[in-house]
Amino acid sequence: MPQLLVQKGLDVTAMDISPTCVEMMQASQPQVVWCCADAFALPESWSRSYDLVVDKGLLGHIAAEDVHNIQCGKLLAEYGRVLREGGRIQ
């Protein structure tokens, strides 16, 4: 997905918690800025930096009965923190 967004003319920062994944993806998609990060504790420097956060499955892996638990709230709070005014989560 990051590569498709780049092809549409967007500046894209993508992340994964796995350094191995980030290294492989950076090699195959050099137009994307790849970062190793934890979605539950995103870098402070990312605060209010993005217009769009695309969750490609992490929220989907949280069990339906856990949607209101503290982990889900923390994840959504992190996504909200890095969004600019008027930004959105998909």
Side-chain angles (χ1 to χ4, degrees):
M1 182 179 289
Q3 185 64 31
L4 293 172
L5 295 172
V6 167
Q7 290 171 353
K8 297 233 179 239
L10 301 174
D11 294 325
V12 177
T13 300
M15 48 120 345
D16 196 280
I17 197 164
S18 165
T20 303
C21 177
V22 169
E23 184 178 312
M24 288 176 13
M25 296 308 294
Q26 186 64 58
S28 68
Q29 299 179 5
Q31 307 88 338
V32 176
V33 176
W34 282 92
C35 301
C36 189
D38 180 350
F40 291 93
L42 296 170
E44 288 299 319
S45 63
W46 290 6
S47 294
R48 305 289 175 239
S49 296
Y50 298 96
D51 298 310
L52 174 66
V53 170
V54 177
D55 181 283
K56 244 186 96 223
L58 188 54
L59 279 173
H61 283 87
I62 297 174
E65 62 271 12
D66 293 334
V67 167
H68 298 290
N69 77 14
I70 194 162
Q71 289 294 28
C72 184
K74 183 173 171 104
L75 181 61
L76 291 173
E78 282 297 280
Y79 288 171
R81 180 179 63 78
V82 301
L83 285 173
R84 290 187 179 117
E85 184 78 26
R88 61 187 184 157
I89 301 169
Q90 286 192 311

